[in-house]
Amino acid sequence: MAYTSGELVTRAWFLTGIVSRDLQEVSGSQFEDGMFCLNALLAMNTANMGLIPYFTKDTFDGIIANEAYFIPDLIQLETLTFVIPNDETPNNTVRFPMSRKTREDYWATPRANGITSLPYIYETERALGGMNLYIYFTPDRPYIFEYWGKFSLSSTVANQDLSLVYDRFYLEYLRYGVAAYLCEEYNVIPPPSVIAKFKQYEQLIRNTSPTDFTMKIQCPFNGNYAPNYAFANASAGYVPVGWGY
């Protein structure tokens, strides 16, 4: 069943108590204000990654000797791997993991520049309209990079079918959120039940698809150690003292 943005805005107005159900219609400036508040809520949730419950898998092609990549609308990168293509047997490939580094570890530690090889570390920075991704080593071949992440929520237009974009539970959360925004916009105290429901739904959504904060420690003296193939490829196993990779 379709659930349009217009229906969501209308039902949000009824929640506020400003517009009476069956006695008044939502139109004109009230409808425009409702759409504005809906898009404002979607935009603010983009800044709060915990309120976006959807992780998406996507890929991009690496460019030889290129370190920086821009991924539109990406706001959180959860995992990053790359695959070495095999032209003879496309289904017989190997996936290599990459390790995330902090800004200081990536940009302020010693490293050899100008090397093209198997990439093994990366760092990310939020940017206008998406995310900048930096990888090292720079690729020596056009590897296929695969990642899981969260993308910013799309703004909506009048009478768009939101059921094709968001789950029903998320639309219910948006309805209560828009009602709270409208009350603030019109300088009206929102009904306590609306605020309580909005906070309840907020917490439920945060717990729907949380970020994986599992700690992964690699040590050469236990069974969890996995060799870094990229580093072995370039250094033949010799590691300069103090590099810490």
Side-chain angles (χ1 to χ4, degrees), residues 165-220:
V165 185
Y166 308 115
D167 289 302
R168 194 73 179 214
F169 74 88
Y170 201 78
L171 295 177
E172 186 69 358
Y173 155 73
L174 292 177
R175 182 168 73 101
Y176 276 84
V178 171
Y181 271 44
L182 285 170
C183 288
E184 187 172 13
E185 189 80 8
Y186 279 70
N187 198 24
V188 173
I189 298 176
S193 60
V194 170
I195 298 300
K197 278 283 189 181
F198 181 50
K199 296 298 182 183
Q200 178 187 356
Y201 291 158
E202 242 187 14
Q203 190 58 45
L204 287 173
I205 290 171
R206 290 181 190 276
N207 297 331
T208 299
S209 187
T211 300
D212 184 2
F213 290 110
T214 304
M215 294 185 64
K216 301 177 180 64
I217 302 176
Q218 291 186 348
C219 176

Side-chain angles (χ1 to χ4, degrees), residues 225-237:
Y225 174 71
N228 188 310
Y229 293 101
F231 201 88
N233 180 67
S235 66

Side-chain angles (χ1 to χ4, degrees), residues 4-18:
T4 67
S5 55
E7 181 181 357
L8 188 148
V9 165
T10 299
R11 291 181 177 273
W13 270 112
F14 293 154
L15 281 177
T16 66
I18 301 173

Side-chain angles (χ1 to χ4, degrees), residues 79-85 92-99 117-122 140-141 143-147 227-233:
T79 66
L80 179 64
T81 60
F82 69 93
V83 173
I84 298 178
N92 186 17
T93 59
V94 179
R95 183 177 68 186
F96 291 85
M98 296 186 66
S99 176
S117 184
L118 296 173
Y120 71 104
I121 60 172
Y122 70 94
D140 60 332
R141 294 176 58 188
Y143 303 117
I144 300 172
F145 289 83
E146 182 179 283
Y147 62 93
N228 188 310
Y229 293 101
F231 201 88
N233 180 67

Side-chain angles (χ1 to χ4, degrees), residues 5 35-36 38-43 46 73 152-158 160 162 165-166:
S5 55
M35 290 298 301
F36 177 85
L38 174 56
N39 284 321
L41 179 58
L42 291 173
T46 295
D73 298 326
S152 60
L153 298 174
S154 302
S155 59
T156 184
V157 295
Q160 178 183 358
L162 298 180
V165 185
Y166 308 115

Side-chain angles (χ1 to χ4, degrees), residues 30-133:
Q30 286 184 328
F31 184 81
E32 293 177 0
D33 290 341
M35 290 298 301
F36 177 85
C37 289
L38 174 56
N39 284 321
L41 179 58
L42 291 173
M44 288 305 300
N45 285 357
T46 295
N48 191 339
M49 293 173 291
L51 294 176
I52 299 180
Y54 307 110
F55 279 95
T56 302
K57 176 185 174 182
D58 206 348
T59 63
F60 67 90
D61 295 330
I63 302 173
I64 296 176
N66 188 65
E67 180 181 12
Y69 299 83
F70 177 74
I71 304 177
D73 298 326
L74 183 65
I75 60 173
Q76 180 183 353
L77 185 63
E78 184 82 350
T79 66
L80 179 64
T81 60
F82 69 93
V83 173
I84 298 178
N86 190 328
D87 297 332
E88 296 181 358
T89 55
N91 293 327
N92 186 17
T93 59
V94 179
R95 183 177 68 186
F96 291 85
M98 296 186 66
S99 176
R100 183 195 301 270
K101 292 295 179 181
T102 65
R103 185 181 298 113
E104 181 176 358
D105 286 340
Y106 187 90
W107 294 107
T109 54
R111 73 182 190 189
N113 293 319
I115 296 178
T116 59
S117 184
L118 296 173
Y120 71 104
I121 60 172
Y122 70 94
E123 196 263 339
T124 60
E125 297 289 346
R126 285 286 296 269
L128 180 63
M131 177 175 288
N132 288 323
L133 169 66

